[in-house]
Amino acid sequence: MRIGHGYDVHAFCEGDHIMLCGVRVPHSKGFKAHSDGDVALHALTDAILGACALGDIGRHFPDTDDAYKGIDSRVLLRRVVDLISEKGYRINNVDITIVAEKPKLATLVDSMCEMVAGDLSIARDRVNVKATTSEKLGFVGQEQGIAAQSVVTVVEI
Ligand code: MG
């Protein structure tokens, strides 16, 4: 059994929706990012890479590479799942925490769990997504952006 942790932040810019765990969430702002800015999937992808000692998302998919401009973060996640499977690992369970003052996400976490479980090809009861606020404190509390953390366990096949 191995464990990995991931953390990511994305700032808001003008827009009308954000992507979180592959789910399109209507919002009065968008994410400033090279990819679709799915901060939760970036934290998750980093946690998986971390568990397998395979570096980080920026090393595998550099934001200087036009190939990843505007890319769906689910594509990157699935590539990492394929990579760790080639290295002899499978994902045991994942936990994701999204820290956002707005929008409210409680009603969306179930669809987020289903989306992630599908992309990881694991059972729904091995995936947990939580949403919390920052009590109006700091950059999240001031609604300048969203942060996400993830912890993942993998097992050697
Ligand atoms: Mg990111």
Side-chain angles (χ1 to χ4, degrees):
M1 177 81 78
R2 300 172 66 127
I3 188 164
H5 172 258
Y7 174 74
D8 196 29
V9 170
H10 277 281
F12 287 135
C13 63
E14 281 187 22
D16 61 5
H17 74 280
I18 51 176
M19 297 302 295
L20 288 171
C21 286
V23 173
R24 185 187 166 99
V25 183
H27 191 40
S28 55
K29 297 164 184 173
F31 276 141
K32 189 173 167 183
H34 188 70
S35 66
D36 66 3
D38 194 324
V39 65
L41 290 190
H42 295 175
L44 171 61
T45 305
D46 259 351
I48 296 168
L49 288 167
C52 303
L54 288 169
D56 60 56
I57 192 169
R59 192 176 98 194
H60 291 272
F61 314 108
D63 63 8
T64 48
D65 188 335
D66 277 349
Y68 306 118
K69 197 167 163 51
I71 198 166
D72 181 345
S73 297
R74 295 175 64 201
V75 171
L76 307 182
L77 174 64
R78 290 193 293 249
R79 277 193 211 167
V80 164
V81 171
D82 289 344
L83 174 70
I84 68 149
S85 144
E86 283 161 24
K87 300 274 182 189
Y89 298 105
R90 70 170 172 80
I91 294 165
N92 181 61
N93 78 299
V94 318
D95 189 20
I96 298 170
T97 302
I98 302 169
V99 193
E101 207 64 36
K102 282 182 188 165
K104 293 294 173 212
L105 302 170
T107 57
L108 299 170
V109 294
D110 281 341
S111 15
M112 291 180 185
C113 287
E114 274 165 34
M115 188 72 87
V116 169
D119 282 338
L120 300 181
S121 302
I122 60 175
R124 165 66 184 80
D125 66 1
R126 290 177 180 269
V127 176
N128 194 65
V129 177
K130 308 184 293 296
T132 187
T133 73
S134 188
E135 297 289 340
K136 299 193 173 4
L137 297 171
F139 69 86
V140 168
Q142 301 300 312
E143 295 176 45
Q144 294 173 309
I146 288 183
Q149 300 200 33
S150 180
V151 173
V152 169
T153 59
V154 302
V155 289
E156 290 180 51
I157 300 164

